[in-house]
Amino acid sequence: MTSITRESVVQSIEAILVEAKNLSDDIFEDQIRLQSFQRQVFRLKNDTTAPLERIFGEICFQPHQSTAVRIALEGGWFQVLADGKPKTAHDISFATGAEVQLIVRIMMVLTATDVVIEQGYQTYRATPLTQILLDPGWANGLRHFFDHCGPSLINLPGYLKQNGYKVPQNVMTGPFADAWGGRNTWALYDAEPWRGKIFNSFMTKWKEGTKVWTDTYPANVRLCSSCEKSDDAVLLVDIGGGSGHVVLDFAKEPSNRVGRLILQDLPAALGDTDTLKNHGIEAMPYDFFTPQPVKGAKAYYFRGILHDWPDRACREILSNTATAMRKGYSKLLLDEMVLPDTNVPPKGALLDLSMMALETGAERTSEQWHQLLGSVGLRIEKIWSTDYGLEAVIEAVLDA
Ligand SMILES: C[S@@+](CC[C@H](N)C(=O)[O-])C[C@H]1O[C@@H](n2cnc3c(N)ncnc32)[C@H](O)[C@@H]1O
């Protein structure tokens, strides 16, 4: 372990300054540079915090921070701050009915962690964070991770110990089912549809917050130009596409209208099929653990599906697709993360743990993707990727 001295702190700050000068004018525009800068700032902050302080000031108390945000969200307190003007605990109490002393105690956590600004004595102001949580989609993201993933995460250390510290492989007996009375995520959403709505609303929002897959993958060159020219020809099947936000987006581009577009999911997830029909998209109930009924499409597209499942289930899903693919013509497209082998950014690492807790799934490295696809007779032609692989499209074909 290298010891931290005043000199090494000064050197780190100088290195950070160089990184800062390399940021683009709009710092959020170039994510690669921003993440490299953030990593150095994060490391300096950690290096200059005593280890005991890190354990008891940060790690032990992370759940407390999310709990405080979750309470304020559900209590409607962020709504009261929405106009950007300072509000007292009494104002929030008057608007929401919460007791003043409770507001003061929870706000103490939120101001200490910079979620809310403390403007003066028992007086609070919104931050960009609280403004984001006013959006129902992002608020549902917090609900999803806290309410659905939370119990499974808290259960995970005991679950893994009990099961001999092995990667969970069975979704029916995995950590989520163990924490939720034997139900996996999809069974829970089925039994309590309002939870499924929370999840779907978050997924739709999440999609808005990330790159469009066709920014990473040149669909025009790789798919549209070689799609068969006949009325029956299927250009793209979006499998497990939820209510269809991705395929609807894809359909808006006239140059993508060179073949049929099909959306598949479980019946309950398909949503409003009239909107789809109006955009010329066919909605088709389909369970991806059964053989794919659409044969010989140009592309079979999965977004954020395989990271939900352990390897054995993925092999089943992929085999069901591979049998419908036409050799030398069809492509399998996986819109997924491809984790770097080292220095995985926090977003990738923490999502991987969420996938284990939520669905017994995993984020995968390039080698893991090669192995998984190779095991069912598929070959990766190219991984199209940006942002350290956190946005990637894996393009595969039937192996020779
Ligand atoms: C993480 S969401 C991804 C949704 C969409 N692809 C997106 O990126 O927004 C997983 C999707 O898989 C669907 N799903 C789960 N089990 C399925 C099954 N057996 N057959 C088909 N779809 C399934 C869910 O209904 C859900 O829409």
Side-chain angles (χ1 to χ4, degrees):
M1 213 178 89
T2 51
S3 62
I4 302 303
T5 61
R6 187 179 56 188
E7 187 51 33
S8 68
V9 171
V10 170
Q11 278 172 8
S12 296
I13 292 174
E14 281 167 358
I16 289 171
L17 197 60
V18 171
E19 296 258 356
K21 286 181 179 163
N22 281 334
L23 292 171
S24 44
D25 286 344
D26 169 358
I27 63 163
F28 298 109
E29 207 174 272
D30 187 335
Q31 282 295 317
I32 301 268
R33 285 186 182 177
L34 184 60
Q35 281 176 34
S36 164
F37 169 77
Q38 285 169 340
R39 189 169 277 267
Q40 296 221 30
V41 172
F42 186 61
R43 196 147 288 157
L44 177 64
K45 183 204 148 273
N46 289 340
D47 286 349
T48 53
T49 306
L52 199 61
E53 175 65 16
R54 284 204 64 208
I55 296 281
F56 290 101
E58 296 173 8
I59 293 172
C60 285
F61 296 128
Q62 273 170 5
H64 303 52
Q65 296 176 31
S66 342
T67 300
V69 178
R70 183 73 186 87
I71 292 168
L73 173 74
E74 209 54 31
W77 305 354
F78 296 143
Q79 293 286 351
V80 184
L81 303 180
D83 64 7
K85 292 182 187 149
K87 296 285 179 327
T88 65
H90 280 92
D91 293 334
I92 299 173
S93 172
F94 183 75
T96 66
E99 196 180 338
V100 170
Q101 261 320 302
L102 181 71
I103 294 168
V104 169
R105 288 177 67 181
I106 301 301
M107 283 300 194
M108 197 156 62
V109 178
L110 297 180
T111 54
T113 50
D114 279 351
V115 174
V116 170
I117 303 283
E118 189 166 32
Q119 186 80 19
Y121 178 68
Q122 295 186 354
T123 306
Y124 313 103
R125 193 159 50 78
T127 64
L129 253 74
T130 52
Q131 297 293 356
I132 285 203
L133 288 172
L134 295 176
D135 182 299
W138 293 129
N140 281 334
L142 182 69
R143 290 189 177 98
H144 170 63
F145 283 114
F146 191 88
D147 299 7
H148 300 155
C149 192
S152 179
L153 272 179
I154 287 170
N155 191 41
L156 198 53
Y159 173 89
L160 293 175
K161 186 174 183 181
Q162 219 172 14
N163 289 279
Y165 290 108
K166 295 195 180 76
V167 174
Q169 291 290 350
N170 184 339
V171 71
M172 299 314 293
T173 56
F176 189 92
D178 196 55
W180 283 88
R183 287 182 294 191
N184 69 15
T185 24
W186 313 119
L188 179 71
Y189 300 159
D190 228 27
E192 300 180 33
W194 61 274
R195 291 191 187 277
K197 282 195 183 126
I198 285 179
F199 174 67
N200 282 330
S201 131
F202 168 52
M203 285 312 295
T204 307
K205 196 71 209 177
W206 178 274
K207 196 227 134 218
E208 282 173 26
T210 55
K211 279 202 176 98
V212 183
W213 68 284
T214 44
D215 287 347
T216 304
Y217 179 79
N220 245 323
V221 183
R222 307 289 287 189
L223 307 179
C224 302
S225 58
S226 53
C227 182
E228 277 178 347
K229 310 280 176 284
S230 80
D231 289 350
D232 283 350
V234 176
L235 173 63
L236 184 115
V237 191
D238 181 2
I239 306 162
S243 50
H245 48 262
V246 173
V247 74
L248 273 165
D249 230 29
F250 186 76
K252 280 187 200 141
E253 173 57 51
S255 61
N256 293 338
R257 303 313 302 254
V258 295
R260 289 162 62 201
L261 300 176
I262 299 177
L263 169 71
Q264 295 178 330
D265 207 304
L266 297 173
L270 280 175
D272 169 20
T273 53
D274 282 349
T275 313
L276 296 165
K277 211 189 271 176
N278 292 341
H279 286 83
I281 297 163
E282 300 165 50
M284 183 184 290
Y286 168 61
D287 175 351
F288 48 51
F289 290 108
T290 62
Q292 170 60 251
V294 181
K295 309 288 179 201
K298 182 66 204 169
Y300 296 90
Y301 170 88
F302 293 85
R303 178 178 185 264
I305 299 294
L306 296 194
H307 79 159
D308 287 346
W309 299 92
D311 284 358
R312 192 160 11 125
C314 286
R315 278 194 282 275
E316 223 182 302
I317 297 170
L318 289 169
S319 298
N320 281 326
T321 313
T323 51
M325 289 170 69
R326 200 195 319 157
K327 214 171 205 163
Y329 177 73
S330 303
K331 289 185 186 287
L332 172 84
L333 301 176
L334 304 177
D335 190 346
E336 292 275 359
M337 275 188 190
V338 178
L339 295 180
D341 292 334
T342 57
N343 281 324
V344 176
K347 187 170 147 193
L350 296 171
L351 259 180
D352 177 60
L353 192 61
S354 303
M355 289 307 123
M356 185 191 293
L358 275 168
E359 283 126 357
T360 324
E363 303 300 343
R364 293 175 172 89
T365 61
S366 160
E367 191 187 331
Q368 287 168 326
W369 283 118
H370 276 278
Q371 275 179 8
L372 181 63
L373 270 69
S375 70
V376 293
L378 290 159
R379 176 172 50 81
I380 295 181
E381 277 203 317
K382 182 165 173 151
I383 295 179
W384 304 78
S385 133
T386 53
D387 195 8
Y388 292 116
L390 297 188
E391 306 273 352
V393 177
I394 301 161
E395 182 181 18
V397 292
L398 285 177
D399 206 357

